[in-house]
Amino acid sequence: VIFVWKKTSGQKASQVAASNAPVIHMGPVTVNLDKDSSNDPDRYLCLDMDVNLKELMPDQKIPGIHPGAMEAAVIFLSSLVYNNVKDFSKIKQQVKKLVDILNPYMHGVVDKIVINHVIIADNMDKVEEFIIEHTPSKEAQAGKAQEGKSGQNAGKAQKAGG
């Protein structure tokens, strides 16, 4: 059983353009959820999220994701049980806690975390599928640039050959 939630943006185009706050894409984060008992099935929380920073001063550099921040995020998320994340409102509560966990590592500039895509998977095949789907490969990025130059014939040739 897989639960899939997708969040839509309620912002108008003018609001998005007016925002000067930087966004750091964290990429896919996958953790094994903790269990209430040893009889509970394995479940994996898979998140694709962005860290929205507070508006920075003009001379202030965008901080990178500190390795300790990622470690703290993984420890926190893997301590959760299924009941902590079984619906989107509960996930939003946990994400607010995650902001408090990340802020000390990020010099207090984290404003919020936006969940782009989340699933709770019950097997590793679905986890691997999620990671592949949400990790842009260098070949895909190069392919998009090349496709823009050579048109759609390149895509058709790949489908015929693959």
Side-chain angles (χ1 to χ4, degrees):
V1 177
I2 297 218
F3 300 97
V4 179
W5 294 290
K6 276 203 167 195
K7 185 176 183 216
T8 58
S9 174
Q11 290 184 326
K12 296 179 182 175
S14 61
Q15 290 173 316
V16 174
S19 175
N20 292 332
V23 175
I24 300 173
H25 183 70
M26 287 188 71
V29 176
T30 303
V31 296
N32 190 357
L33 291 172
D34 202 3
K35 299 178 183 184
D36 287 324
S37 77
S38 61
N39 295 331
D40 289 345
D42 285 337
R43 290 191 177 109
Y44 307 92
L45 177 64
C46 306
L47 299 163
D48 181 37
M49 56 188 165
D50 294 330
V51 177
N52 289 15
L53 304 180
K54 296 174 184 172
E55 196 167 330
L56 301 176
M57 300 301 288
D59 60 338
Q60 192 175 2
K61 278 180 55 177
I62 298 173
I65 299 288
H66 188 279
M70 286 300 291
E71 186 175 304
V74 168
I75 290 170
F76 169 71
L77 292 170
S78 64
S79 72
L80 301 174
V81 294
Y82 174 70
N83 285 334
N84 298 130
V85 294
K86 67 181 180 181
D87 61 43
F88 204 71
S89 64
K90 292 189 179 221
I91 289 175
K92 287 169 75 174
Q93 291 172 352
Q94 302 307 325
V95 167
K96 286 180 183 176
K97 293 177 187 177
L98 187 58
V99 169
D100 294 334
I101 291 168
L102 293 181
N103 252 329
Y105 296 97
M106 303 287 296
H107 309 289
V109 298
V110 176
D111 182 36
K112 65 182 177 180
I113 295 175
V114 176
I115 303 295
N116 300 317
H117 196 187
V118 58
I119 66 168
I120 297 173
D122 63 354
N123 62 57
M124 286 304 295
D125 291 338
K126 296 295 181 185
V127 171
E128 290 173 7
E129 197 175 296
F130 180 87
I131 291 170
I132 290 168
E133 182 179 331
H134 296 282
T135 304
S137 67
K138 291 181 181 179
E139 292 85 18
Q141 291 172 349
K144 285 181 183 178
Q146 185 64 25
E147 187 174 300
K149 293 178 184 175
S150 63
Q152 293 188 3
N153 290 337
K156 290 179 184 176
Q158 285 181 338
K159 288 180 185 176

